[in-house]
Amino acid sequence: MSQARIPLVAGNWKMHKGPAEARRFAEELLGEFAKDRTGTPVPGHRPDVAVFPPFTSLPAVAQTLRGTAIAYGGQNCHWESKGAFTGEVAPAFLAELGCRYVLVGHSERRTLFGETDETCRKKLLAAVAAGIEPVLCCGETLTEREAGRTFEVLERQLRAALAGLASTASLTIAYEPVWAIGTGRTATPAQAGEAHRFIRNWLVRELSPAAGGRTRLLYGGSVKPDNFGELLRQPDVDGALVGGASLELASFRGIVGAATSYLTGLI
Ligand code: PEP
């Protein structure tokens, strides 16, 4: 990763942790990573930390983490601001709770809930309009990788989802090869590095050099404390989107710790 981009370690809790458990866990995270409740970073070189709880747990997490150094966000949003869309949540509702981020196009939403590149584009623009930074998830399936189509898939997902986005918009991208999510099979540092370099070059070319330089690219897919340090050494890997290993304090601490050690080693 580059010294210009502070690494981000983000925990995607998926459909885990109801309100009471989420509050307890957020309190533990606060004690661990941001002891100063005013939000002043604790001394030392720390990565940014964020969590993505289920919608119903967001108020409890917001009450605990709002105004601190730990950010939080929604796992999804709708693109309309209000209306007859039963079961959906508008980006402005997330903003009202103090969400900094929202995930867009996670592979589980694409494969299980019919999300498409086009709905990703609409959600992304709506999130930005509501003042929330989208974390766009992209990545190829195993079949696509084995057919040598990884870059083609990434290009299609990026081109479709980022159409119409201002090059000044704040954006994070999570490269999450579908075959690595929840499988225990992590991309090698070389595989992740190559995909991230492709995404970075695409952003430089198609958005702007400034956007390409500033956008954080997270790797996601079976990140664990013992594999994250190597991944972060890749020049275009700026952090991680972590599923399973973000649910327990010990493993999440280990991943944040790997990023902290990496940052400390840079200076
Ligand atoms: C994810 O949910 O985005 C993810 C990467 O999950 P896991 O870390 O469990 O593979």
Side-chain angles (χ1 to χ4, degrees), residues 12 14 106 108 176 180-183 220-223 241-244:
N12 173 17
K14 311 194 188 200
H106 189 280
E108 286 150 19
E176 300 208 299
I181 298 178
T183 59
S222 299
V223 169
L241 182 57
V242 188

Side-chain angles (χ1 to χ4, degrees), residues 139-142 144-157 175 179 191 194-195 198:
E140 79 289 357
T141 63
L142 189 57
E144 289 164 339
R145 171 163 283 270
E146 287 175 349
R149 295 181 48 221
T150 298
F151 294 159
E152 176 197 322
V153 170
L154 292 177
E155 157 108 42
R156 189 205 74 222
Q157 291 174 332
Y175 168 62
W179 48 272
Q191 286 172 324
E194 177 186 62
F198 176 86

Side-chain angles (χ1 to χ4, degrees), residues 244-262:
S246 73
L247 298 175
E248 300 292 333
L249 186 60
S251 43
F252 197 57
R253 178 202 287 131
I255 294 168
V256 176
T260 308
S261 309
Y262 176 74

